[in-house]
Amino acid sequence: MTDADTLRIDLLAAIAAAPDLAVLDGIRVAALGKAGSVTALMKTLGSMAPDVRLVDGPRLNALRDGVAAAIADRKAELEAAALDARLAAERLDLTLPVSPGPAGTIHPVSQVMDELAEIFADLGFAVADGPEIEDDWHNFTALNIPESHPARAMHDTFYLTQGDHVAPNGHPAGAATSLRWLLRTHTSPVQIRTMLNQPPPIRIIAPGRTYRSDSDATHTPMFHQVEGLVIDRGITMGHLKWTLETFVKAFFEVDDVTLRLRPSYFPFTEPSVEVDVGCSWDGGMLSIGGTASWLEILGSGMVHPRVIAACGLDPDEYQGFAFGCGIDRLAMLKYGMTDLRAFFDGDARWLRHYGFKPTDVPTLSAGVGA
Ligand code: PHE
């Protein structure tokens, strides 16, 4: 055996046994580096007699190439093993519960808004919204509540201190009209904005915040309403009644629901009705259904022809219905809270008790309140 053969056997054995990349690199330097054992043998080629070099030259080249190839193979092997070890060590168990545990809950008002969107989306309604800072034209005038109308006073409106301003170019109130900024007192201005911005047929609900200067156990200065609006040709009270019944059945998850429509008055609907839902009280517990007792849940009616005309539509061609309903009150009736003010206290215990898990996404198939 030549020196080269011995060296090859030793080196290949050491390479195969190298436990990690650092040891393997040490072997590479000791063999193929400037002062390496293979390099030293290669250097002897220069001083060889030509006939000896003819035999030893290819042999030494083969030694060098063989060692280099063995090092490359072992390197790939060790790197693959290192990657496997790292993947095993860094594995995440995605089934573990979140730590330190879920902290927040979905507020019942948000949950009920999601339930409303789910129910009405199934009936072909889109969700619309509008600004909470409104002008008195959208909030009152266009809704057939002129300046002198007692309903303006009844709304306990918060006016902004900026006071009056003149309608800017393109404002639907018309040039030079004097406008006042206010916090919207109901979601009905979204009816106006929707009719101005899109052609019929219109089917929308508009949930959102509303404001009135009023405060007791059943009134807070900020509260939530949902507006409903349908505008098309040939819309009647029959459509209104069916829509409300379908909504109330889905919302309270009760099939046996009776609605009572009482004649009422709103400036922006004609005729106007207040809607009661049949219910009963069992030992202080409310249950929806039957006709033992009645609870008022919303105001509604056929959109007044003057409101339709204020939005640039022909009331002889288009009719529709609208309704407005307190969301906080809906939540109280469905989920059993007794004091409205607690909705807005931000008390973590109340939120833990009445709040919903983020995973409790309302769906019709699971019953909206699931
Ligand atoms: N906007 C009315 C209110 O806040 C409710 C309502 C809306 C009534 C739509 C009829 C139609 O009292």
Side-chain angles (χ1 to χ4, degrees):
M1 260 214 304
T2 64
D3 286 356
D5 292 332
T6 320
L7 191 55
R8 176 205 301 276
I9 289 164
D10 289 352
L11 282 174
L12 292 186
I15 290 165
D20 58 42
L21 290 166
V23 171
L24 183 65
D25 203 50
I27 296 170
R28 181 186 64 79
V29 172
L32 305 175
K34 262 196 197 129
S37 49
V38 175
T39 312
L41 271 183
M42 302 289 293
K43 279 182 189 156
T44 62
L45 282 173
S47 54
M48 278 178 192
D51 55 334
V52 179
R53 189 191 305 147
L54 214 58
V55 181
D56 277 0
R59 199 186 272 164
L60 289 182
N61 279 333
L63 166 67
R64 187 196 53 201
D65 293 348
V67 168
I71 289 175
D73 287 351
R74 180 68 185 146
K75 187 167 180 231
E77 226 171 80
L78 286 171
E79 279 172 350
L83 182 61
D84 283 348
R86 194 169 145 208
L87 286 175
E90 291 180 0
R91 184 160 51 204
L92 290 178
D93 183 351
L94 298 178
T95 65
L96 283 175
V98 179
S99 174
T105 57
I106 306 290
H107 195 285
V109 169
S110 303
Q111 187 77 7
V112 168
M113 285 186 182
D114 289 347
E115 293 177 14
L116 294 170
E118 174 74 9
I119 292 169
F120 280 100
D122 194 54
L123 300 177
F125 285 63
V127 174
D129 67 5
E132 290 168 31
I133 296 176
E134 260 299 3
D135 59 48
D136 59 346
W137 188 83
H138 287 92
N139 194 82
F140 291 127
T141 315
L143 286 159
N144 194 32
I145 313 176
E147 194 98 37
S148 56
H149 200 288
R152 283 212 188 192
M154 276 157 53
H155 274 214
D156 300 314
T157 311
F158 286 114
Y159 286 95
L160 271 67
T161 49
Q162 271 85 344
D164 296 357
H165 65 289
V166 174
N169 267 348
H171 192 287
T177 307
S178 167
L179 300 174
R180 291 186 76 185
W181 291 122
L182 48 79
L183 296 181
R184 67 178 181 190
T185 57
H186 50 180
T187 42
S188 299
V190 187
Q191 288 186 32
I192 304 301
R193 290 184 176 273
T194 306
M195 281 189 267
L196 287 168
N197 288 331
Q198 70 180 74
I202 291 169
R203 283 193 294 262
I204 54 119
I205 58 163
R209 291 191 179 119
T210 48
Y211 303 83
R212 289 185 203 179
S213 177
D214 206 352
S215 190
D216 59 39
T218 54
H219 297 90
T220 48
M222 189 279 292
F223 57 105
H224 299 85
Q225 280 193 342
V226 61
E227 194 79 9
L229 175 70
V230 168
I231 300 285
D232 203 348
R233 296 186 179 93
I235 300 292
T236 70
M237 290 282 280
H239 297 115
L240 167 62
K241 185 162 186 267
W242 180 87
T243 304
L244 294 178
E245 263 167 14
T246 305
F247 152 55
V248 171
K249 281 180 191 171
F251 181 75
F252 289 108
E253 297 167 54
V254 181
D255 275 336
D256 160 38
V257 160
T258 310
L259 293 188
R260 188 170 75 174
L261 275 56
R262 270 182 297 109
S264 184
Y265 172 75
F266 300 102
F268 33 89
T269 48
E270 182 58 39
S272 302
V273 286
E274 265 169 324
V275 178
D276 301 335
V277 59
C279 65
S280 61
W281 295 93
D282 270 329
M285 283 284 286
L286 170 70
S287 67
I288 301 292
T291 55
S293 188
W294 299 96
L295 266 177
E296 184 190 323
I297 53 165
L298 54 87
S300 65
M302 300 304 291
V303 181
H304 197 294
R306 267 192 228 149
V307 174
I308 294 180
C311 297
L313 297 174
D314 177 359
D316 289 330
E317 186 177 2
Y318 290 107
Q319 304 76 40
F321 64 79
F323 57 88
C325 179
I327 292 180
D328 315 290
R329 183 165 156 79
L330 280 184
M332 290 170 81
L333 293 176
K334 182 165 178 178
Y335 294 113
M337 303 83 160
T338 48
D339 190 344
L340 174 67
R341 287 169 294 200
F343 275 59
F344 310 115
D345 282 346
D347 182 330
R349 291 164 304 175
W350 188 91
L351 289 166
R352 264 196 298 278
H353 183 79
Y354 287 111
F356 292 80
K357 285 190 252 154
T359 49
D360 288 341
V361 177
T363 61
L364 283 176
S365 55
V368 278

